[in-house]
Amino acid sequence: MFKKILIANRGEIAVRIIRACREMGIPTVAVFSEVDRASLHVRKADEAYHIGPAAAAESYLNFAKILGAAKVSGADAIHPGYGFLSENANFAKVCEASEITFIGPKPEVIEMMGEKDRARREIKVAGLATIPGSDGVVEGEEHLATEAQRIGYPLILKAAAGGGGRGMRVVRSNEELLSAYQTARSEAQQAFGTPDVYMEKFLEHPRHIEFQVLGDQHGKVIHLGERECTIQRRHQKLLEESPSPAMDAKRRKELGAKVVKAMEKIGYTNAGTIEFLMDEDGSIYFIEMNTRIQVEHPVTEFVTGVDLVKAQIRIAAGERLQEAAGEVSFTGHSIECRINAEDPETFVPSAGRITTFQAPGGTGVRVDSAAYSDAVIPPYYDSMVAKLIVKGRDRGEAISRMKRALEMFVIEGIKTSIPLHRRIVAHPDFATGNMDTQFIEKLVRTNGK
């Protein structure tokens, strides 16, 4: 097992990893930017190192500073969390060259799955269906027109090197095609350093289904069921649940087996998520793979009893899946709500200082957060303040429990000298299980009004 783990991240995921390490008896090292000096992850780690100014490019994305902190502290492994360097194949390679274990997949697999068009080809060969689309990157206006005619409208252009809605444009007619292509390329260049985009048939009202997988270094892969993440805003997930109400046991077993076979074929190790879209006719298509721990991993932990972060660490240390994950059994239903610091009208991220933070508790309630009273939400990073996760015996109980927990969640704060509202609103449809975007847009938020 590792002697010491450096966490190359911040916020709630850094605190989450520290907790897992503490339970395993592994000392932890935090890194922090100038604006994160008073952050909870810095306080909770055994050691902490300042790595630069607020800008992520000069701190949390800086290879040299993070590896320097690892070397100085004596850390022999690095956990990247999610975001930042978690899916950076070059960083994983540099860790290997520095004889520091990267707690994640092999660099070549990160690279393969990070190139979205290549990932689609590899997954198709491995036996999973993909959405009809271009065969690789769209190369120029002539290729663009030809592929659009072949695929048909509506279609969607996507950045080949990334996700999260950046470099993504829906096109519904030939008149929109060229300008959308140019915009998508420009956004992709700014966000990911390459303008490459590919094209897919656009599914109008799909469900977003994803399978959690774990693979060890001995060729064994398992899946831990599926999560549904259909409720999104601007291509960003807001609410996740497991299992999906759209999946039955037979389909879960069949698709899960295909997912495991595909992951074994590509030699996948550690934690990862295979993401699918389910069309209105029930067809399921692969869209991408995330080669890291997901924000929504707690719902899977609740329904399986597997600590995914501990499993990641044990797998990276060479343990077999049976020891790393233990026996897996599926029970109950879990839901997660992301609590963001946003303006309630525009949903623009709103930085400020938290004056009151009172998290709910009780049976089947979990809050993952790095927030506390007097903590500052800086404008430089993701605006998520907390994740509220609940578990019930079934979906109905989970919904009731989430409603109760949201009603008891209190967050207040200020932006400069202007008081921040406290918005704790439970949408009536939530009680009946019809969770829609109107409900999500009324969750607990810290905002600048």
Side-chain angles (χ1 to χ4, degrees), residues 160-177:
R166 293 167 296 181
M168 187 181 292
R169 282 291 181 275
V170 175
V171 185
R172 299 185 179 277
S173 68
N174 193 53
E175 290 72 28
E176 301 173 8
L177 184 62

Side-chain angles (χ1 to χ4, degrees), residues 178-302:
L178 183 57
S179 63
Y181 175 64
Q182 292 169 340
T183 301
R185 282 175 56 83
S186 176
E187 288 184 359
Q189 176 66 53
Q190 292 176 13
F192 309 111
T194 173
D196 291 345
V197 298
Y198 63 97
M199 187 187 299
E200 287 180 342
K201 180 70 176 175
F202 180 65
L203 307 183
E204 289 283 5
H205 302 290
R207 286 180 175 269
H208 189 125
I209 310 289
E210 60 186 32
F211 268 74
Q212 176 70 57
V213 297
L214 284 175
D216 65 21
Q217 298 178 43
H218 309 279
K220 176 71 172 176
V221 177
I222 61 171
H223 79 80
L224 298 175
E226 85 285 352
R227 300 182 288 256
E228 176 154 347
C229 314
T230 300
I231 297 178
Q232 301 183 19
R233 186 179 66 240
R234 298 170 186 160
H235 306 291
Q236 296 292 327
K237 299 170 186 175
L238 293 171
L239 184 149
E240 302 95 352
E241 61 180 312
S242 182
S244 165
M247 296 282 285
D248 57 29
K250 181 175 181 291
R251 190 155 208 192
R252 182 175 299 112
K253 182 178 180 180
E254 291 174 350
L255 185 55
K258 290 181 180 179
V259 165
V260 168
K261 185 177 179 181
M263 292 299 97
E264 288 177 341
K265 188 175 180 65
I266 67 172
Y268 196 82
T269 56
N270 218 273
T273 303
I274 316 295
E275 305 209 3
F276 298 90
L277 289 183
M278 178 187 284
D279 206 352
E280 291 177 279
D281 64 3
S283 300
I284 296 182
Y285 303 102
F286 167 85
I287 52 171
E288 66 178 358
M289 181 173 192
N290 290 300
T291 55
R292 52 172 168 79
I293 196 77
Q294 293 274 89
V295 174
E296 58 270 24
H297 75 273
V299 295
T300 295
E301 294 184 326
F302 253 157

Side-chain angles (χ1 to χ4, degrees), residues 81-102:
Y82 56 72
F84 293 132
L85 297 172
S86 62
E87 294 180 283
N88 190 308
N90 289 331
F91 181 67
K93 289 176 184 176
V94 172
C95 286
E96 279 191 357
S98 303
E99 298 183 337
I100 296 173
T101 300
F102 177 83

